[in-house]
Amino acid sequence: MSKFMILVKQLYKQKIRSKPFLLMLGLYIVIISAIVFWSDIKEVFVNSEQTEIALINKTDYDMQSVFVSGDETKWVFLEAADEELDQKLEDGSYLAAITLTEAGPKLAADIQSYDPLQLNDQQMLYQEINNAGQFYAMGKLDLTDEQASTLLDSEPIVTTMTLNTEAKDGKTTDEKQAGILISYGVGFLIYLFINTFLSMITTDVASEKGSRALEMLLVSVKPETHFRSKLVGVLLLAITQFTVLLGFLFVLLRFTKGGEKWEMVSEVFTTISLSYFSYVLAFLFGTLFLFLIIGAFFGSLVSKVEEASQVMMPAILITIVGFYVLVTGMSNPDTMLIKVFSYIPFTSGMVMPLRIGATDISPLEPLVSLAILVATVLILYKLSLSFYKRSVLTYSSGGIISKIKTVFKVTT
């Protein structure tokens, strides 16, 4: 077995059994489980009893057919407000009391509550009142039930046509919304993976250098072999973690609640092409490998492991910027900001999947962005490897720029 494979195997076995790796994997599993079963978890902490709301109707329209009680809300119809109503509002028996009156052709509603209403309760009440206002207005027009039903169900049939014959048919709104949702998950995953494994490789190299173990190791192993073994070993750890998490997520979705959640996810995935997932994997591991190179390079600059967090800060800030751009682009993925950052190799892994899934992008643009990412990885690999040979046994203090200057002074 070659020295390279021995180092990779040793690193992989050491890290995959380490407590930080297992704790991080366990934390991700807990987070995934919480997201999948959030509706069940929420029921434990949220009161599942019916919320009673008093309704006083002072109009001539029959509101009992509009305000229909359900599993969460019970409408209590009263003739008029009295002291008993105020008492029930105060002791919490009623969430609120709504008084409906006529205001010409429109419906007027007065909402009373003992304490200020929460946002969800306000939105629910406003929606119910708006719905009642529509029925009330139609009742004033003396419409038949059939005519009222036609008005309520009058959703237009929309078709789109592109005049540019060279352009492909654009994505539908559902496809773009699904693309935004999946792209956010992909971007968040890339953000977590980069920060986790960037920290791992930087502190690992810094730890070996700080303990002087690297000096003894490089007596029999070339620096470039050690550099490559770190990159490949940590990348294999990332692939292992990704595979375990993906498999765990599949098991949760497929075999819990009779596969109900898997059917919901499958409906979303049917709107996304297979090429999209190919691009996602390429950008995920391409971006991760890029930051692993940066992490190994930064680790070779420091003299002790305590300095690792200082040199990692620029790379971490870049990932924060990329994730922030992704979040801002979810409301409008067609902005110039998203287009620019989708070509920057340090942020394209988080931003370009959003453009692929949520915009009508040409097939050439993702290939160009991916080519830029691959070219940057190759160039940065060559430069970092060359610098790694010089810096890995050079000890200095100060900031990043100062350390780089010291390396050049000592080795040239």
Side-chain angles (χ1 to χ4, degrees):
M1 186 181 293
S2 65
K3 295 179 180 179
F4 169 75
M5 291 304 300
I6 292 174
L7 290 175
V8 171
K9 185 177 180 181
Q10 180 185 6
L11 174 64
Y12 183 81
K13 286 185 175 181
Q14 176 190 355
K15 294 298 181 182
I16 205 170
R17 296 172 182 172
S18 64
K19 289 183 180 179
F21 179 82
L22 295 176
L23 288 174
M24 187 60 66
L25 183 61
L27 178 61
Y28 289 158
I29 289 176
V30 170
I31 293 174
I32 291 174
S33 302
I35 294 174
V36 173
F37 297 108
W38 177 246
S39 58
D40 300 322
I41 296 174
K42 187 171 66 173
E43 290 181 359
V44 177
F45 299 98
V46 178
N47 186 10
S48 59
E49 296 181 358
Q50 274 188 325
T51 300
E52 293 191 1
I53 302 173
L55 184 68
I56 303 171
N57 182 20
K58 294 185 178 181
T59 70
D60 56 359
Y61 189 85
D62 181 17
M63 291 295 177
Q64 294 192 14
S65 61
V66 179
F67 293 91
V68 180
S69 300
D71 295 333
E72 298 180 357
T73 306
K74 180 180 180 181
W75 298 95
V76 181
F77 293 88
L78 303 177
E79 294 295 332
D82 51 22
E83 293 182 359
E84 183 181 358
L85 173 62
D86 295 337
Q87 181 62 38
K88 287 191 175 182
L89 286 173
E90 183 176 352
D91 62 24
S93 299
Y94 291 155
L95 173 67
I98 302 175
T99 303
L100 301 178
T101 57
E102 296 181 357
K106 295 184 179 181
L107 181 69
D110 177 50
I111 303 176
Q112 290 180 316
S113 63
Y114 187 75
D115 292 316
L117 295 172
Q118 297 181 2
L119 176 61
N120 290 340
D121 296 328
Q122 287 178 324
Q123 292 175 337
M124 182 269 294
L125 292 179
Y126 291 167
Q127 182 179 359
E128 293 288 347
I129 293 171
N130 286 335
N131 187 38
Q134 292 179 341
F135 281 99
Y136 176 80
M138 288 185 292
K140 284 292 183 180
L141 296 175
D142 294 328
L143 298 178
T144 63
D145 292 340
E146 184 179 354
Q147 290 172 329
S149 178
T150 302
L151 286 176
L152 292 175
D153 298 334
S154 59
E155 182 177 351
I157 301 174
V158 180
T159 58
T160 59
M161 181 180 64
T162 304
L163 297 179
N164 185 0
T165 56
E166 297 180 359
K168 291 186 176 180
D169 294 336
K171 297 183 179 71
T172 64
T173 303
D174 291 338
E175 290 174 338
K176 290 182 178 181
Q177 289 177 346
I180 290 175
L181 180 63
I182 296 175
S183 299
Y184 177 76
V186 170
F188 187 63
L189 180 66
I190 292 176
Y191 175 77
L192 290 178
F193 268 48
I194 287 175
N195 283 279
T196 299
F197 294 102
L198 172 69
S199 175
M200 179 183 294
I201 194 171
T202 304
T203 54
D204 193 57
V205 174
S207 177
E208 289 184 355
K209 185 178 179 180
S211 64
R212 305 283 176 163
L214 199 53
E215 296 180 4
M216 301 178 61
L217 180 61
L218 293 181
V219 173
S220 57
V221 177
K222 294 180 179 181
E224 54 263 35
T225 303
H226 182 264
F227 181 74
R228 287 195 295 266
S229 68
K230 291 294 182 184
L231 295 178
V232 174
V234 176
L235 183 62
L236 289 176
L237 281 171
I239 294 174
T240 301
Q241 189 176 86
F242 177 78
T243 305
V244 171
L245 294 178
L246 194 63
F248 178 75
L249 179 61
F250 172 77
V251 171
L252 279 186
L253 296 174
R254 184 68 181 85
F255 298 103
T256 57
K257 292 191 174 182
E260 177 184 345
K261 295 184 181 294
W262 176 251
E263 292 178 0
M264 295 172 57
V265 173
S266 298
E267 291 179 2
V268 176
F269 283 168
T270 53
T271 62
I272 303 298
S273 64
L274 183 62
S275 62
Y276 174 80
F277 294 102
S278 302
Y279 277 122
V280 164
L281 291 176
F283 277 107
L284 169 62
F285 291 107
T287 306
L288 179 60
F289 195 70
L290 175 65
F291 278 91
L292 289 181
I293 295 172
I294 296 173
F297 166 70
F298 283 163
S300 68
L301 289 176
V302 301
S303 301
K304 50 187 177 180
V305 69
E306 289 80 6
E307 299 176 350
S309 58
Q310 176 186 352
V311 296
M312 283 191 301
M313 188 56 63
I316 293 176
L317 289 176
I318 291 174
T319 62
I320 293 174
V321 170
F323 186 71
Y324 175 77
V325 172
L326 168 65
V327 173
T328 57
M330 291 179 65
S331 59
N332 185 9
D334 294 294
T335 61
M336 182 58 65
L337 180 68
I338 297 296
K339 292 180 181 179
V340 171
F341 275 83
S342 66
Y343 289 104
I344 300 175
F346 302 100
T347 59
S348 60
M350 286 182 275
V351 181
M352 182 52 81
L354 175 64
R355 291 192 64 200
I356 299 173
T359 65
D360 298 316
I361 190 173
S362 70
L364 183 62
E365 293 185 62
L367 292 175
V368 172
S369 178
L370 187 59
I372 294 174
L373 175 60
V374 172
T376 305
V377 168
L378 294 176
I379 293 172
L380 198 60
Y381 173 80
K382 290 292 185 181
L383 293 176
S384 298
L385 179 58
S386 176
F387 199 86
Y388 190 85
K389 297 175 184 178
R390 300 179 177 189
S391 62
V392 74
L393 294 179
T394 303
Y395 298 87
S396 62
S397 59
I400 298 178
I401 304 299
S402 176
K403 292 177 183 295
I404 294 176
K405 289 180 179 180
T406 302
V407 170
F408 278 112
K409 286 181 180 179
V410 174
T411 58
T412 54

